[in-house]
Amino acid sequence: MKKFNAFFFLLAACSFNAQVISGTVMSNNENQPVPYVKIGIEKENIGTVSDGAGSFSIDLSGLDASRKLRIEVPGYEPYAETVQNFRKQSRQQIFLKEKVKDIKEVNIKIKKLVDKNWGVNTKTKSVLYSVNPKFRKEDFLGETALEFNAGKRSKIKNINLNIASYTSDKPVLMRYSIYTEKNGFPDKNILEEEITVELTEDMIKDGTYALDVNEHNIWVQGKFFIGIQFLKEFEGKVNISAALFRTGFIRKFYGDWQKITLAAPAINIDVKVDKSAKNIKDEVAASGDDLEGLISDISQYNKESEDSGYGKNKSLGNYIELKDTKLYYEIYGEGEPLFLLHGNSGSIKDFYQQIPILSKHFKVIVSDTRGQGKSADTSHKEFTYIQFAEDIKALADKLGLNKINIAGWSDGGITGLEFALKYPKNLNKLIVIGANASPEGVDERLISHMKTQLLVLNVENKPEKFNERRLVTIMLKEPHISRKELSKIENPVLVIAGDKDVIKQDHTEMMAKQIPHAELKIYKNATHMIPFENADELNADILKFLEK
């Protein structure tokens, strides 16, 4: 296919009189080359970057003669020319005019400057923004950006980039830009001078490259964007950590910016906030994303859970064969049976902080939900929480357990509710953690992200992602447990959620109110990740509730 494309473009170039234009970008005043300039067509995803000597070649074959070619570099006036005029010379020099700096009188006032850090701080190695020149060149030479919002006038000290891995045969050349905001997207670059970096591995400390921009005297207020672009090809790959369910922005050359809601690169900034300045807006959005505080970074817990050995214990692991699945489970401890049910896309190991404590008091049965962990699903049907509850009943029956306790997290909590409705005589007590009775109980921002995720999965239509699509679908379409059904649950139930949970607090309170024998506990300063982040408190609450 690559040979065919090359042959096609060769024919196109010939038919349009070899419209590959070469030249050099020069500074008008100093008559010196301007290196690493982005040269592209307005509103198009095509272009090139000049080399260190300002030299470039760009293929204009087949382009409308009225389209505009653009060059923009901090410190210089923007350059624009029609394709028709640009084609007139096969070899040319482009002179850029330096911007005249307007130096205004500065009134020095005593300020109260407070240190803050805003942005995406994750250092995960499982969700990545990958920079790989071996892929399509226009993708590699594109630009990514993250939105910020400063309520008060603030000075940027450092721009930090969290890098999960770095391999390169030469220093990796990057350009930083800072944009104003227009209609929710990056607009004009506010920098007066170029900020480029030749990144080497030894410049990355503890997974972060910190660029000191204090001397650039960059002051911001209101919405703005930090953009990063890679300018020169290299042999290797750079993986930047990224945060799921965060909003990032990308574009190719001078094409339109696109909003990416699935994940955002780990760009964060150290700033000095002028607390004495006038506040134009509440600073809550300063982190640059509408899901700040809703989804926390759990990369640390993922690593710890993976290292724990739970979920892959060869001496204790076993399977039960059911229709369309082999359900994997492990058993720890002795006593009254307690089933721990994990959340969507999780597995047994998610309870690595609960199993060793609870198994001292109970027979703890942990299983991978069908289609997750080690439990495969060979059907082509959509998942349902009722089906998951039936699987738990089948496992309890195999183990000869007539009456069980359940502690379910998120999807596991929903499964627990369905179990209580279908098998009330087989349930003793139920603990639900961050569970919802309907999709309306989930924060709309997360729902929006999941809808986008499902849209992407449907468009890709990759067989290997069929299971992932089912797991997203079930969260969007289920459960549908009515208030009337909740009121029929006679078993004692402990309802737990965080005050910063993805489950709406009024929805959690409604569930506890409708269930006749329910207790409610809202954890303070807690997210949806209670079994990870509030493990000691959760373990104590489970033990207290079950031992009553």
Side-chain angles (χ1 to χ4, degrees), residues 187-198:
D187 189 33
K188 304 294 184 184
N189 193 344
I190 67 172
L191 294 179
E192 293 293 334
E193 55 189 343
E194 189 83 81
I195 299 181
T196 56
V197 171
E198 291 187 336

Side-chain angles (χ1 to χ4, degrees), residues 99-113:
K99 284 185 177 179
V100 177
K101 293 185 179 179
D102 184 15
I103 303 175
K104 298 179 180 179
E105 181 181 353
V106 178
N107 294 319
I108 300 176
K109 295 181 180 180
I110 297 174
K111 299 180 178 67
K112 183 182 178 182
L113 299 177

Side-chain angles (χ1 to χ4, degrees), residues 100-211:
V100 177
K101 293 185 179 179
D102 184 15
I103 303 175
K104 298 179 180 179
E105 181 181 353
V106 178
N107 294 319
I108 300 176
K109 295 181 180 180
I110 297 174
K111 299 180 178 67
K112 183 182 178 182
L113 299 177
V114 179
D115 290 318
K116 294 280 187 179
N117 177 270
W118 298 332
V120 177
N121 287 284
T122 180
K123 291 189 176 181
T124 179
K125 296 188 178 184
S126 57
V127 183
L128 301 171
Y129 174 83
S130 186
V131 180
N132 190 343
K134 287 187 177 180
F135 292 153
R136 287 157 49 93
K137 184 176 179 180
E138 59 266 36
D139 290 340
F140 163 66
L141 295 176
E143 186 173 8
T144 184
L146 189 69
E147 181 181 356
F148 297 82
N149 191 354
K152 295 180 181 289
R153 191 167 180 263
S154 305
K155 183 181 181 181
I156 302 177
K157 294 169 51 187
N158 298 300
I159 302 175
N160 306 310
L161 189 64
N162 293 347
I163 299 175
S165 64
Y166 175 104
T167 53
S168 176
D169 63 330
K170 64 184 72 171
V172 175
L173 188 66
M174 301 188 302
R175 171 180 289 140
Y176 288 77
S177 299
I178 301 179
Y179 296 100
T180 59
E181 180 268 347
K182 184 178 181 181
N183 299 325
F185 290 90
D187 189 33
K188 304 294 184 184
N189 193 344
I190 67 172
L191 294 179
E192 293 293 334
E193 55 189 343
E194 189 83 81
I195 299 181
T196 56
V197 171
E198 291 187 336
L199 181 67
T200 57
E201 189 169 14
D202 61 345
M203 295 163 67
I204 304 168
K205 307 296 183 184
D206 298 322
T208 299
Y209 169 61
L211 173 65

Side-chain angles (χ1 to χ4, degrees), residues 258-521:
Q258 303 293 324
K259 185 180 288 189
I260 304 298
T261 58
L262 292 181
I267 303 171
N268 61 90
I269 57 177
D270 299 317
V271 298
K272 287 278 190 183
V273 179
D274 180 5
K275 285 296 183 181
S276 64
K278 185 178 180 181
N279 192 357
I280 62 169
K281 192 177 181 180
D282 184 40
E283 213 168 290
V284 69
S287 64
D289 193 87
D290 58 354
L291 286 185
E292 176 65 13
L294 198 64
I295 301 292
S296 54
D297 178 19
I298 59 171
S299 55
Q300 169 195 343
Y301 303 103
N302 284 336
K303 184 179 185 307
E304 291 175 357
S305 66
E306 188 64 37
D307 294 340
S308 71
Y310 294 117
K312 51 185 177 182
N313 191 324
K314 293 182 179 179
S315 61
L316 296 179
N318 213 330
Y319 285 91
I320 174 176
E321 291 198 26
L322 303 174
K323 184 179 179 181
D324 300 322
T325 186
K326 287 177 63 178
L327 205 68
Y328 178 79
Y329 66 95
E330 296 175 358
I331 300 177
Y332 297 88
E334 295 293 336
E336 192 176 333
L338 170 61
F339 279 68
L340 300 182
L341 310 182
H342 63 77
N344 193 287
S345 301
S347 69
I348 289 171
K349 69 178 186 293
D350 292 346
F351 291 111
Y352 76 101
Q353 296 183 84
Q354 283 69 52
I355 295 170
I357 303 301
L358 300 179
S359 62
K360 293 178 182 179
H361 305 267
F362 299 92
K363 174 182 282 189
V364 174
I365 300 100
V366 279
S367 63
D368 287 337
T369 305
R370 67 163 61 209
Q372 299 160 72
K374 287 189 173 184
S375 298
D377 183 281
T378 57
S379 74
H380 288 81
K381 299 178 181 179
E382 296 294 350
F383 291 139
T384 70
Y385 293 113
I386 292 176
Q387 178 188 51
F388 294 165
E390 291 171 350
D391 289 346
I392 296 303
K393 177 62 164 60
L395 178 56
D397 289 346
K398 179 191 176 180
L399 298 175
L401 304 173
N402 184 51
K403 211 173 189 69
I404 66 174
N405 299 291
I406 293 177
W409 175 19
S410 194
D411 274 26
I414 299 171
T415 299
L417 291 170
E418 295 286 12
F419 190 97
L421 289 168
K422 189 164 186 176
Y423 308 108
K425 294 182 180 180
N426 300 105
L427 179 67
N428 182 25
K429 293 182 178 181
L430 170 65
I431 301 104
V432 295
I433 308 143
N436 55 296
S438 68
E440 289 72 26
V442 181
D443 191 291
E444 288 85 357
R445 293 169 290 175
L446 184 56
I447 290 290
S448 176
H449 282 288
M450 288 192 294
K451 286 180 178 178
T452 303
Q453 186 179 5
L454 183 60
L455 178 63
V456 172
L457 289 169
N458 286 336
V459 170
E460 289 180 336
N461 196 27
K462 294 180 179 179
E464 65 271 22
K465 291 190 176 183
F466 172 69
N467 209 54
E468 183 181 347
R469 187 189 63 77
R470 289 195 291 181
L471 290 171
V472 175
T473 300
I474 191 174
M475 290 189 289
L476 287 171
K477 293 186 176 181
E478 291 199 16
H480 294 290
I481 303 172
S482 67
R483 291 172 183 251
K484 184 177 181 181
E485 287 176 307
L486 289 172
S487 67
K488 292 179 180 179
I489 297 175
E490 292 294 332
N491 309 86
V493 179
L494 175 60
V495 179
I496 294 174
D499 60 358
K500 297 179 180 178
D501 210 305
V502 298
I503 307 302
K504 299 174 185 176
Q505 187 165 324
D506 59 354
H507 183 83
T508 301
E509 292 169 349
M510 177 277 294
M511 288 170 53
K513 184 178 180 180
Q514 292 299 126
I515 299 172
H517 305 290
E519 299 177 23
L520 171 66
K521 183 169 183 181

